Amino acid sequence: MEKYTFKTKLWIQVALINFCVVALAGVTLRYKINFPLPSVNQKYLLYAHSHFAFDGWVALALMALMVNYLQQHNVVTNYKKYHWILIANCISAYGMFISFMLEGYAFYSITFSTLSIFISYFLIFYLWRDLNEVVDKSYTIKWFKGALILLGISSLGAFSLAYLMANHIMVQDYYFGAVYFFLHFQYNGWFLFACFGLLFSWLYQKDFLPSAAISKKLFIIMAVTVAPTYFLSVLWLKLPKGLHLIADISGILQLLVLFYFIQLYPVVKKNIPNKFTKTTKYLWIMASIAFILKIILQMLSIIPYLSHFAFGFRPVVIGYLHLSFIGIISFFILGYINEILKPVHRHVNAGGIILFVIGFLVQEIILMMQGLEAMEITPLPYANIILFGCSILMAIGLIWITIGIMKREKVVA
């Protein structure tokens, strides 16, 4: 029987195409805020946009890159099963995108959402088993297994939300509690742990051996704090004093994450200054800054007034979510993709990256300025028009990046 080789580049291309769809949906959302578009239901499209961003872009990209990690370490397994898992993931992602856009939370959208969760369970089972065959001293296996556990835990929030919506239980506290549970264990769990696993694996492959010790310390602190920091997301609820104390302590403990993470930078700069491209360097610097900001903002949310401000104003919430989703996760993944394309002398288009980054940075500034309006600061004129322009800029940048990669003929295995 012919050996099946997992086609990493193919799945990178599919994930990037999906990211373009996410960006175009974002453009449509911003357009509708400024101009009439009666054929589009804003709330339904927002559901479609967010669900597809998670499953169609980030989850798909991380799945593909983690399977690529197995191939890099010569794990003998049937890679075709991962091919079919990713196909099923794409079907469920597009099913969610279309059904949410047409009907919001209803039978078909909930069905496809549930399907995506069961697909993730298959991934967890097979990837966990195959990771046991890897010999790697970089602590990457721990990061990946932690990511898979947290992916499974996040599904409890999705199931809870689906149950509430299907049974028309519109208790706001329940609804937002389930939403933030899912978001927390996706953003701060599955996505972040998988990215750290890929990062430390890459560092170790570059013979940067001291990274293993830092990796272990970072993993322990983040593993201990990931569950209790969920309560930082729901401080607007009337939590018992014990849970409130746990949230406060976990927020402060997160500063240890910063201590070890910042410790990594000067050592990396000294030991491997010329082992990654300029595009990757700047993307990962941006991702690092966004990560540091996220940790600081999480810690500051233990202050009651700031917590109310952070979770009570939509622009601030959107800005924070984009800081994590784009600033940390997406920038890191784009940089990592750039590195695994390097062996075939290809790279992510720098011009597309520049447009995408500029659009993101201006968007974040405007969203934060909109949030400051709640503090009776004079609102920025034409803010929504500027945000619409930012969404167009980001979409053009992503399309440019995707077309550039798809035009390459060589395939990265």
Side-chain angles (χ1 to χ4, degrees), residues 228-265:
T229 49
Y230 162 67
F231 296 112
L232 291 172
S233 303
V234 290
L235 287 175
W236 41 269
L237 290 173
K238 294 179 179 178
L239 296 175
K241 288 184 179 180
L243 292 180
H244 209 293
L245 181 61
I246 289 172
D248 292 348
I249 293 171
S250 62
I252 295 168
L253 277 175
Q254 288 269 289
L255 294 178
L256 281 176
V257 173
L258 282 190
F259 174 76
Y260 291 118
F261 183 74
I262 293 172
Q263 194 179 73
L264 186 66
Y265 178 74

Side-chain angles (χ1 to χ4, degrees), residues 105 110 113-114 157-168 178:
Y105 274 96
I110 291 174
S113 298
T114 305
F159 277 130
S160 300
L161 185 60
Y163 175 81
L164 293 170
M165 300 298 289
N167 290 278
H168 306 288

Side-chain angles (χ1 to χ4, degrees), residues 2 33 46 50 72 76 81 92 116 132 135-136 179 192 217 230 234 245 263 324 327 352 360:
E2 185 180 351
I33 290 173
L46 181 61
S50 58
Q72 289 176 340
V76 178
K81 64 178 178 283
S92 69
S116 72
N132 290 329
V135 178
D136 187 346
V179 168
L192 207 51
K217 293 171 184 175
Y230 162 67
V234 290
L245 181 61
Q263 194 179 73
S324 294
F360 167 75

Side-chain angles (χ1 to χ4, degrees), residues 81-92:
K81 64 178 178 283
Y82 292 114
H83 177 76
W84 288 111
I85 287 172
L86 267 60
I87 287 176
N89 182 79
C90 280
I91 291 170
S92 69

Side-chain angles (χ1 to χ4, degrees), residues 154-188:
S154 73
S155 68
L156 299 177
F159 277 130
S160 300
L161 185 60
Y163 175 81
L164 293 170
M165 300 298 289
N167 290 278
H168 306 288
I169 302 172
M170 301 307 293
V171 179
Q172 193 175 51
D173 286 355
Y174 294 168
Y175 174 83
F176 284 112
V179 168
Y180 282 124
F181 186 94
F182 174 77
L183 289 175
H184 176 77
F185 285 100
Q186 287 271 315
Y187 277 113
N188 300 313

Side-chain angles (χ1 to χ4, degrees), residues 126-337:
Y126 287 117
L127 201 53
W128 188 286
R129 189 177 64 179
D130 287 337
L131 284 170
N132 290 329
E133 305 301 317
V134 178
V135 178
D136 187 346
K137 297 179 181 179
S138 67
Y139 228 69
T140 294
I141 305 302
K142 298 290 186 184
W143 284 108
F144 283 166
K145 286 189 172 182
L148 295 175
I149 290 170
L150 294 165
L151 170 59
I153 291 173
S154 73
S155 68
L156 299 177
F159 277 130
S160 300
L161 185 60
Y163 175 81
L164 293 170
M165 300 298 289
N167 290 278
H168 306 288
I169 302 172
M170 301 307 293
V171 179
Q172 193 175 51
D173 286 355
Y174 294 168
Y175 174 83
F176 284 112
V179 168
Y180 282 124
F181 186 94
F182 174 77
L183 289 175
H184 176 77
F185 285 100
Q186 287 271 315
Y187 277 113
N188 300 313
W190 152 230
F191 293 166
L192 207 51
F193 277 59
C195 286
F196 269 115
L198 292 169
L199 172 64
F200 284 110
S201 170
W202 182 86
L203 291 173
Y204 204 78
Q205 287 173 8
K206 300 299 178 185
D207 298 321
F208 180 42
L209 305 185
S211 67
I214 298 174
S215 176
K216 181 178 181 180
K217 293 171 184 175
L218 256 180
F219 175 81
I220 291 170
I221 296 298
M222 289 181 64
V224 168
T225 59
V226 65
T229 49
Y230 162 67
F231 296 112
L232 291 172
S233 303
V234 290
L235 287 175
W236 41 269
L237 290 173
K238 294 179 179 178
L239 296 175
K241 288 184 179 180
L243 292 180
H244 209 293
L245 181 61
I246 289 172
D248 292 348
I249 293 171
S250 62
I252 295 168
L253 277 175
Q254 288 269 289
L255 294 178
L256 281 176
V257 173
L258 282 190
F259 174 76
Y260 291 118
F261 183 74
I262 293 172
Q263 194 179 73
L264 186 66
Y265 178 74
V267 188
V268 171
K269 186 178 179 182
K270 179 181 177 181
N271 286 273
I272 53 171
N274 301 313
K275 292 189 178 180
F276 52 92
T277 64
K278 285 185 178 179
T279 302
T280 300
K281 176 183 175 181
Y282 292 122
L283 279 169
W284 283 1
I285 286 174
M286 293 282 293
S288 298
I289 293 169
F291 179 70
I292 291 168
L293 284 173
K294 185 189 84 72
I295 296 294
I296 292 171
L297 290 171
Q298 271 189 316
M299 189 271 293
L300 291 176
S301 69
I302 67 178
I303 302 170
Y305 173 75
L306 292 178
S307 176
H308 170 72
F309 176 71
F311 297 104
F313 300 98
R314 186 176 181 82
V316 178
V317 173
I318 294 172
Y320 177 78
L321 293 177
H322 282 187
L323 179 72
S324 294
F325 185 84
I326 300 174
I328 302 172
I329 309 300
S330 297
F331 282 175
F332 172 79
I333 292 174
L334 289 171
Y336 191 85
I337 287 171

